[in-house]
Amino acid sequence: MSDDENAVRFGILGCANISIKLCKAINKAPNSKLHAIASRSVEKAESFATEHNLPKTVKVYGNYESVLEDDEVDAVYIPLPTGLHVTWAVKAAERRKHVLLEKPAAMSVAELDRILEACEAHGVQFMDGTMWMHHPRTAKMKEALSDAQRFGQLKWIHSCLTYNPGPEFLKSSIRVKADLDGLGALGDCGWYCIRAILWAVDYELPKSVLAFPGAILNEEGVIISCGSSMHWEDGRSATFHCSFLSHITFDLTVLGTKGCLRLHDFPLPFEDNLGYATFLEASELDYAKIEPGMWCPKPNEHVVETQFSQEVCMVMEFADLVQKVKRCEMKPQKTWPVFSRKTQLVLDAVKDSIHKGYQPVQIVS
Amino acid sequence: MSDDENAVRFGILGCANISIKLCKAINKAPNSKLHAIASRSVEKAESFATEHNLPKTVKVYGNYESVLEDDEVDAVYIPLPTGLHVTWAVKAAERRKHVLLEKPAAMSVAELDRILEACEAHGVQFMDGTMWMHHPRTAKMKEALSDAQRFGQLKWIHSCLTYNPGPEFLKSSIRVKADLDGLGALGDCGWYCIRAILWAVDYELPKSVLAFPGAILNEEGVIISCGSSMHWEDGRSATFHCSFLSHITFDLTVLGTKGCLRLHDFPLPFEDNLGYATFLEASELDYAKIEPGMWCPKPNEHVVETQFSQEVCMVMEFADLVQKVKRCEMKPQKTWPVFSRKTQLVLDAVKDSIHKGYQPVQIVS
């Protein structure tokens, strides 16, 4: 945790599992400092602080309001269930706390717009918690996709993000409850797929989406498994599949006319604790160097070293923006809110397509 | 080439590039013998024989009819453009030649049914030329998918098969001509994807398919790029993408509740000439053996050794069936024709879905 008195002081609303990761990330980020945590009861917050060895200086609150009332808190991280995002993110913005909001950002783009409007009105920075965006590997992959000589023009993207948390989760987890995380697997997993696809096309919104027939919903109508195709005017297309019913997969494939980029761990590098991450890249330019016995060259494995894990990179990037806003060097940066909003727009359209019986849905920004 | 006088004597109709591979395969297969080749002109056939060092004993014909009239020919391999399959496969069956037919089998299931009826009426074996089906790796992968402890229940399949043959191909290749290979990329690439998906589900036909919007067709209406989702009653689903516009990809991913099978070279092993092939398999059972620094175990790479390349395996399997039929030990085996017909049924349904403006199409066998 930073000794710098200019370090951004974070308050965390909620002691979810993901909060452990963020406590550690805030602790490691040189420009950040954990100032307070809150749970719905002070006992739960204290037990979280003890269990995770939080410094005694961290304030422990028994309700979320207290964090927002604490004048020393610069920014909040909100890992609450999605259904609560709009309430607490808007409240936080109104108290002039900068907002780092766990994904999925909101239950709908209408809700997200209320959050973004509150942030803009009160001059605070907004960012969603899609951590892999901040890994140095992501920037290296974008370089590879931008290399027209090797990759050519982008034609097609596919992403698959699944895990199988088991029957108890499917029965009682908040992630499958309509009033808590009502977007289910589409919000929890599909968010990453949609973001990855938008990232690959430089955030140009598709013209339309068409959900795959056969989405699986639970009794409350929460999506357990679904997928969709996405279509751009110029012929580019993408597909994704997300599910709580299959073994873990974290796949992203981006196909160009001349090359291919592929990885099986895009939201979280397999070697997360080893200081590096990898991705595979192939190009027709490599056909000159086929190894004996092969008819096709092996893809190139690119290794990207990193000093910090992706969640630390995210906190550092967010805190850097917050510091600049605090010092009045800039207004809150708009790129991250726009990425969130586009992701949510597509997510809403996929949900809409499912609810309309798998009809195509046009995207209107 | 076999000296065995019981070896199946093959005639090849057409000197396509793929014929070179089959000449070599027939040469290597212990139960097969290349007896004759034909082209539309004797000069072309002779030049093919010379160029590829075919033995002097191989008869060289300037028309396809001559092969069918040659009483010493037991079986024909037909690599002609798809539009000619029904004519020549039916003629071959009528002359009691066993039929090894290059994929896609026909322009439609109606045409394929004429071929299969002719084969049945004349007591000859039919098999399509989907070579990877015969690689020993394919049987090993099926074992992995059948391991309920490690793989669980199958939930989802994705296949992607693309290559980018370039503008000259797209302008003038027979593979994009309506009257020759009128199924375009769907026939050339999608055939493999559909077969792989059906293989994974033990050939249970999906209830319906829905093509992805945005298929790309050329001026003649031939498919250059397309894809589809496929749906089964019990909630299993699959997607595939095939295209002549993107860098080469040969992907198959099969997801179960507990495990995942994946490979990037399913129609043709990268190490085709090295006597082995590999595939990746992961299971939740392996979470006990996570390596330090990883949060997820690495998938297991399975190596399958093979004495013969997959095209030799195919020829051997086909010739074995032909020999048994010739010795009157059995009637022509029906499994391979059924696999071909199911593949063609789904392919037709995808084409139908595209032509109906991306409406769901029910599969009726």
Side-chain angles (χ1 to χ4, degrees), chain A residues 149-156 253-262 280-288 290 295-300, chain B residues 160-166 189 241-251 264 270:
Chain A
Q149 289 295 312
R150 289 189 60 82
F151 186 75
Q153 293 172 283
L154 192 152
K155 285 290 179 188
W156 190 74
T253 303
V254 189
L255 266 180
T257 49
K258 297 180 176 186
C260 172
L261 182 143
R262 186 201 307 283
L280 296 171
E281 174 263 345
S283 169
E284 65 177 31
L285 297 188
D286 295 338
Y287 269 79
I290 296 179
W295 62 266
C296 175
K298 280 188 188 161
N300 305 296
Chain B
C160 175
L161 206 149
T162 65
Y163 67 103
N164 181 352
C189 305
H241 172 71
C242 60
S243 172
F244 286 150
L245 300 174
S246 292
H247 184 68
I248 195 160
T249 44
F250 281 4
D251 291 358
H264 299 306
F270 290 135

Side-chain angles (χ1 to χ4, degrees), chain A residues 17-275:
Chain A
N17 277 337
I18 190 76
S19 298
I20 306 166
K21 198 170 221 182
L22 262 286
C23 283
K24 290 181 185 169
I26 293 165
N27 189 29
K28 278 201 184 152
N31 57 357
S32 303
K33 192 170 185 169
L34 183 60
H35 182 80
I37 59 157
S39 189
R40 278 171 296 175
S41 79
V42 74
E43 292 77 20
K44 204 175 157 204
E46 276 170 357
S47 127
F48 181 89
T50 309
E51 187 182 350
H52 301 291
N53 285 316
L54 300 189
K56 296 292 173 203
T57 52
V58 173
K59 291 191 180 164
V60 173
Y61 292 120
N63 60 75
Y64 308 142
E65 286 285 359
S66 301
V67 178
L68 304 186
E69 284 163 10
D70 185 330
D71 286 338
E72 293 188 281
V73 169
D74 297 311
V76 289
Y77 167 64
I78 306 178
L80 297 170
T82 315
L84 303 177
H85 283 192
V86 64
T87 302
W88 290 100
V90 168
K91 280 190 190 189
E94 286 170 352
R95 305 291 178 94
R96 298 194 189 282
K97 309 301 185 195
H98 302 270
V99 175
L100 180 58
L101 185 61
E102 198 39 69
K103 40 65 52 183
M107 286 296 295
S108 66
V109 81
E111 281 193 5
L112 180 55
D113 279 345
R114 288 176 53 201
I115 297 171
L116 298 181
E117 282 157 19
C119 288
E120 185 155 0
H122 297 281
V124 296
Q125 181 66 48
F126 174 90
M127 184 187 276
D128 75 49
T130 311
M131 298 177 184
W132 72 271
M133 301 297 301
H134 305 272
H135 196 289
R137 175 174 69 174
T138 305
K140 284 287 173 194
M141 293 195 296
K142 179 50 84 175
E143 278 177 29
L145 296 182
S146 306
D147 183 340
Q149 289 295 312
R150 289 189 60 82
F151 186 75
Q153 293 172 283
L154 192 152
K155 285 290 179 188
W156 190 74
I157 312 161
H158 174 67
S159 179
C160 175
L161 206 150
T162 65
Y163 66 103
N164 181 352
E168 188 53 37
F169 176 103
L170 293 180
K171 212 173 103 189
S172 55
S173 168
I174 61 158
R175 295 193 194 193
V176 292
K177 297 292 171 193
D179 55 342
L180 296 168
D181 278 327
L183 298 171
L186 179 60
D188 195 29
C189 305
W191 175 274
Y192 287 113
C193 300
I194 294 167
R195 174 62 64 85
I197 290 165
L198 289 174
W199 165 82
V201 298
D202 292 327
Y203 301 96
E204 187 186 325
L205 283 169
K207 186 187 164 198
S208 66
V209 307
L210 174 57
F212 303 149
I216 297 170
L217 282 66
N218 71 8
E219 287 174 1
E220 297 186 22
V222 175
I223 294 165
I224 303 301
S225 172
C226 75
S228 182
S229 60
M230 296 164 58
H231 308 278
W232 285 260
E233 291 264 15
D234 62 0
R236 287 177 296 178
S237 59
T239 54
F240 76 88
H241 171 71
C242 59
S243 171
F244 286 150
L245 300 175
S246 292
H247 185 67
I248 195 160
T249 44
F250 281 5
D251 292 358
L252 176 64
T253 303
V254 189
L255 266 180
T257 49
K258 297 180 176 186
C260 172
L261 182 143
R262 186 201 307 283
L263 66 169
H264 299 306
D265 62 351
F266 80 91
L268 182 59
F270 290 136
E271 305 86 353
D272 192 37
N273 301 315
L274 296 174

Side-chain angles (χ1 to χ4, degrees), chain B residues 29-274:
Chain B
N31 58 356
S32 302
K33 193 171 187 168
L34 183 60
H35 182 80
I37 59 156
S39 190
R40 277 170 297 175
S41 79
V42 74
E43 292 76 19
K44 205 177 157 201
E46 276 170 356
S47 130
F48 180 89
T50 308
E51 189 181 348
H52 301 293
N53 285 316
L54 301 189
K56 296 292 174 204
T57 52
V58 174
K59 291 189 181 165
V60 172
Y61 293 119
N63 61 74
Y64 308 143
E65 285 286 0
S66 301
V67 177
L68 303 186
E69 284 163 10
D70 186 330
D71 286 337
E72 293 187 281
V73 168
D74 297 311
V76 290
Y77 167 65
I78 306 178
L80 297 170
T82 314
L84 303 177
H85 281 193
V86 64
T87 302
W88 290 101
V90 168
K91 279 190 190 189
E94 286 169 351
R95 304 292 177 96
R96 299 195 188 281
K97 310 300 187 196
H98 302 271
V99 176
L100 179 60
L101 186 61
E102 197 39 67
K103 42 63 52 184
M107 286 297 294
S108 66
V109 81
E111 281 193 6
L112 180 55
D113 278 344
R114 287 175 55 200
I115 296 172
L116 298 181
E117 282 158 18
C119 288
E120 183 157 2
H122 297 282
V124 297
Q125 181 66 48
F126 175 89
M127 185 187 273
D128 75 49
T130 312
M131 297 177 184
W132 71 272
M133 302 296 303
H134 304 272
H135 195 289
R137 175 174 69 173
T138 305
K140 285 286 174 196
M141 293 195 297
K142 179 50 84 176
E143 278 176 31
L145 295 182
S146 306
D147 184 340
Q149 289 295 311
R150 288 188 62 80
F151 186 75
Q153 293 171 283
L154 191 152
K155 286 289 177 189
W156 189 73
I157 312 161
H158 175 66
S159 180
C160 175
L161 206 149
T162 65
Y163 67 103
N164 181 352
E168 188 53 37
F169 176 103
L170 293 179
K171 211 173 103 191
S172 55
S173 168
I174 61 158
R175 296 193 194 192
V176 293
K177 296 293 171 194
D179 55 342
L180 295 169
D181 278 327
L183 299 171
L186 180 60
D188 194 28
C189 305
W191 175 275
Y192 288 113
C193 301
I194 294 168
R195 174 63 63 87
I197 291 165
L198 290 173
W199 165 82
V201 299
D202 293 326
Y203 301 96
E204 187 185 327
L205 283 169
K207 187 186 163 197
S208 66
V209 307
L210 175 57
F212 303 149
I216 297 169
L217 281 68
N218 71 8
E219 287 175 0
E220 297 187 22
V222 175
I223 295 164
I224 302 302
S225 172
C226 74
S228 181
S229 59
M230 296 165 57
H231 308 278
W232 286 260
E233 291 263 16
D234 62 1
R236 286 176 297 178
S237 58
T239 54
F240 76 88
H241 172 71
C242 60
S243 172
F244 286 150
L245 300 174
S246 292
H247 184 68
I248 195 160
T249 44
F250 281 4
D251 291 358
L252 176 64
T253 303
V254 189
L255 265 182
T257 49
K258 298 179 176 185
C260 172
L261 182 143
R262 187 201 307 283
L263 65 170
H264 299 306
D265 62 351
F266 80 92
L268 181 59
F270 290 135
E271 305 86 355
D272 192 38
N273 301 316
L274 295 175

Side-chain angles (χ1 to χ4, degrees), chain B residues 150 279-283 286 289 298-302:
Chain B
R150 288 188 62 80
F279 66 94
L280 296 171
E281 173 264 343
S283 169
D286 296 338
K289 50 179 187 183
K298 280 190 188 160
N300 304 296
E301 187 179 58
H302 295 258

